[in-house]
Amino acid sequence: MNTRTVPTHQTYAELQQAYDHFNSALFDGKLPNCLITLQREKRSMGYFSSQRFVDAQGTYTDEIAMNPAYFAVVPLIETMQTLVHEMCHLWQFHFGKPGRGRYHNEEWASKMEAIGLMPSSTGQPGGARTGQLMADYAIEDGKFVKACADLLTQSFCLTWYDRFSHADAPRSAGERLDSSVGGGAAPIIALPALTQALAPRLSSTTSTTQGEVAVQVKPTGNSNRWKYVCPCGTSVWGKPKLKIICGSCEGVFTSTDAARLNSSDDMS
């Protein structure tokens, strides 16, 4: 059976590919396999649960849960950041000494920093390194950013996206805190190749289905993300008023959102 035509096989094969890649690049291939699941946990992009599953022979395996509600509304690198964040919890369970309950201790924080993710209670520079509620951000030129760049050279992507998201889904880094041993926060993206992997590519109007709200995930001019286009045709999303040079053709990216806002300012 061709996995490309089976959404279940395709989705989990892609997540397993990412897990194997980061295991090799950031953890020297030492992490045991786990069961990756898709779970819609409110206000959490993911979580880790040790020895959550057992088979008929009595063999235990850990769980890393990923929240598919975020796949279409955050950059792909943020989803990968969440996965690696949970892999760090898995590493600590097997090779370290986890904090009591949901506490993120100094051992965990040091490992996170060593693999290129800076722990932060706010998801931004200056936040506390340890605590109950924790997020993180990517370290510029760190191992995580470089591992992401290597993964993208393999034409990696997440093919399937949830068209609907809960109305209370967090939108800012500070809101996506790790309150249940899981979750990541918005990274600082330094490489153009990574920003080109932003996942938001769906656009839908607001509607309701089975108690869920369809959100417009394609950024608009008053969004906190603008679309930038290079003369060579490459498109990226990023925060407003960025100055970006294309790594392929050295062209200058321009923003249609900026042009529209400038036009509105002229008319006011």
Side-chain angles (χ1 to χ4, degrees):
M1 182 179 295
N2 188 342
T3 59
R4 292 184 179 181
T5 63
V6 182
T8 299
H9 292 175
Q10 193 171 28
T11 297
Y12 284 95
E14 289 165 351
L15 291 173
Q16 186 64 52
Q17 178 187 354
Y19 181 92
D20 292 341
H21 173 79
F22 289 119
N23 187 13
S24 175
L26 303 177
F27 298 92
D28 298 322
K30 295 180 179 179
L31 299 187
N33 284 316
C34 66
L35 181 54
I36 301 174
T37 65
L38 297 179
Q39 305 282 353
R40 288 184 177 86
E41 289 286 330
K42 290 185 178 181
R43 303 183 68 79
S44 175
M45 290 180 70
Y47 65 80
F48 167 76
S49 183
S50 61
Q51 297 186 329
R52 186 60 180 259
F53 290 91
V54 62
D55 67 10
Q57 287 71 45
T59 302
Y60 292 92
T61 193
D62 309 308
E63 176 189 23
I64 287 181
M66 302 291 291
N67 190 340
Y70 290 94
F71 289 1
V73 296
V74 301
L76 177 58
I77 188 175
E78 290 192 35
T79 301
M80 295 299 98
Q81 185 175 336
T82 299
L83 175 63
V84 172
H85 181 124
E86 309 315 330
M87 291 173 69
C88 197
H89 284 297
L90 188 150
W91 169 86
Q92 188 177 39
F93 175 76
H94 288 279
F95 303 105
K97 188 175 181 180
R100 183 184 299 274
R102 298 173 179 175
Y103 186 77
H104 298 67
N105 60 21
E106 180 59 34
E107 180 188 58
W108 173 86
S110 295
K111 184 63 175 180
M112 285 280 286
E113 186 173 357
I115 63 175
L117 292 176
M118 180 62 71
S120 170
S121 58
T122 63
Q124 301 295 332
R129 281 169 49 86
T130 60
Q132 291 287 120
L133 301 176
M134 292 300 300
D136 55 76
Y137 61 89
I139 299 172
E140 185 173 346
D141 295 327
K143 291 183 178 180
F144 170 76
V145 170
K146 293 177 181 178
C148 278
D150 291 339
L151 179 63
L152 296 182
T153 62
Q154 303 174 22
S155 299
F156 173 82
C157 70
L158 294 179
T159 302
W160 295 94
Y161 293 86
D162 185 353
R163 295 193 302 118
F164 299 92
S165 180
H166 293 289
D168 61 351
R171 295 297 182 195
S172 67
E175 287 182 308
R176 291 195 291 273
L177 296 176
D178 180 1
S179 60
S180 59
V181 190
I188 296 174
I189 304 175
L191 301 179
L194 299 185
T195 61
Q196 292 175 21
L198 304 180
R201 45 180 149 174
L202 307 177
S203 180
S204 59
T205 57
T206 302
S207 61
T208 58
T209 297
Q210 297 181 348
E212 295 182 320
V213 178
V215 297
Q216 184 176 349
V217 299
K218 185 175 181 180
T220 57
N222 59 357
S223 170
N224 62 351
R225 289 192 177 92
W226 285 1
K227 181 178 180 179
Y228 299 86
V229 181
C230 176
C232 71
T234 301
S235 298
V236 302
W237 296 99
K239 64 182 182 180
K241 300 181 180 179
L242 286 177
K243 295 181 180 179
I244 308 174
I245 301 296
C246 181
S248 298
C249 72
E250 298 185 354
V252 178
F253 282 82
T254 58
S255 172
T256 55
D257 297 280
R260 186 181 65 79
L261 290 179
N262 290 336
S263 176
S264 298
D265 292 339
D266 292 339
M267 296 173 60
S268 60

